[in-house]
Amino acid sequence: MTVSSPRLTVIGTGYLGATHAACMAELGFEVLGLDVDPAKIEKLAAGEVPFFEPGLEELLRKNVDAGRLRFTTSFQEVGEFGDVHFLCVGTPQKKGEYAADMRYVFEATESLLPYLKPNSLFVGKSTVPAGTASRIAEMLADKGPDGVELAWNPEFLREGWAVQDTLRPDRLVIGIEPGGRAEQVLREVYKPLLDAEVPMVVTDYATAELVKVSANAFLATKISFINAMAEVCEVTGADVKQLSKALSFDTRIGGRFLHAGLGFGGGCLPKDIRAFMARAGELGVDQALSFLKEVDAINMRRRSRMVDLARELTGGSFHGGVKVGVLGAAFKPNSDDIRDSPALDVAAAIHLQGAEVRVYDPAANDNASRAHPELTYCRSAQEAVADAHVVLHLTEWREFRDMDPSALNGVALKRIVDGRNALDAELWRNAGWVYRALGRPQQAVGGPSASQSDE
Ligand code: UGA
């Protein structure tokens, strides 16, 4: 790295920001990360990642130790230090509304504005409604120093694969205003990625913003499509697992994100499709995205279907001392994120209906117990299924997929519902279990199942 390399800052150190900061330091840049939460900053500065993300802690520690990566809570320090500022704050769903809560984006921008150096570059990475970048560009033009520019550079990383997705993304997208230096600066920052032939699309702000939300809308639609087929399979006796496999050989369709099961959750897909619909409404094109309402509805119906199937297996009621063992709480494997987790939603609903629910997740127990203290949390799968009348497999961690059903002892009844279509049905049935799954007949024909996850 040359002496003239830009100094980078990352504002907001959640899943996206912490990963981006560590990865940019790994590329050789001096990086300063900021968060308004001092506890988070203290941890990160000590080389500790405050959430579960495979491979991130090693990278963070390595770069903190090398002195390339530091953390602060001071906007002044960030403004004075940085040449390029990446905005990575969250845009959660507003309470009781579909729209995104944009307060963190605007608060962070306002806080940094007085300290920005002339000719610095502000780069938005947060997922935002179309039109946000133009508003921020106006704020920078009105109140920022001379020569400050804005670029919009959405992020496509998946939790559980965040480091890999940041250092080798499928593509880079950069929204800019013509005539500035933003593209040239970002080409310098992302040079190692461009050298590795990561494609880059350079476009305007609105397109860059839309690439992100439309990508998530497409992925959500693909999942809900196959889950809608699962609903049809359930009444026709067809097998969605085999349907999906057969569809996947058509290269125009492809098999990824075509795994039927309990549906999508997390901090992105559900709230992003809702925010997208809300924005379309504001823009007067709500009809264009009305199909996303159905995508959302199909997704939520899978959760109720799961509860119904579990109740059916416990004889039609959860009352009277029914015990339910739940495997998984995170919204997907390799994550401790429980935001809008289908697994926890199902567990909480079953508890409300009277059952004793015992949950085990390899990484998300702590987060889950804070959000749902009414459930019982266990230290192993074995403990969670003890005396259970039905076991629910709701997050497809490898640990569960590799489980030997004949070694799982002490259940009251050998009954399992595979909410992720990821267990080997035959193996479980051969071990004497009643195996049921979403979108599959009671006695399925055909071989072992693959995982929903990208493993
Ligand atoms: C998603 C996108 O995949 C990323 O590209 C994007 O950057 C990110 O949102 C974001 O906007 O920040 P993530 O939320 O980490 O990433 O999770 P995904 O891997 O997309 O999984 C989402 C949900 O869909 C999970 O609950 C998963 O279990 C479920 N899923 C996934 C299915 O039900 N079926 C599938 O075939 C695939």
Side-chain angles (χ1 to χ4, degrees), residues 127 155-159 212 216 219 223 227 256-260 262-269 272 331-333 342 396 420 452 454:
T127 301
E155 180 56 58
F156 303 98
L157 66 79
R158 299 158 298 168
E159 285 177 28
K212 170 64 197 228
N216 276 1
L219 294 171
I223 298 169
N227 282 333
R256 295 180 75 187
F257 276 67
L258 203 63
H259 300 288
L262 197 50
F264 58 83
C268 302
L269 262 43
D272 284 354
F331 84 103
K332 68 171 189 181
E396 73 279 25
R420 291 296 176 178
Q452 297 201 337
D454 289 345

Side-chain angles (χ1 to χ4, degrees), residues 304-319 322 324 349-350 353 390 392 417:
S304 5
R305 170 69 185 143
M306 184 72 207
V307 174
D308 292 347
L309 198 50
R311 197 191 311 97
E312 191 186 310
L313 285 180
T314 57
S317 167
F318 287 123
H319 287 289
V322 169
V324 178
I350 291 177
Q353 292 183 30
V390 65
L392 309 181
V417 187

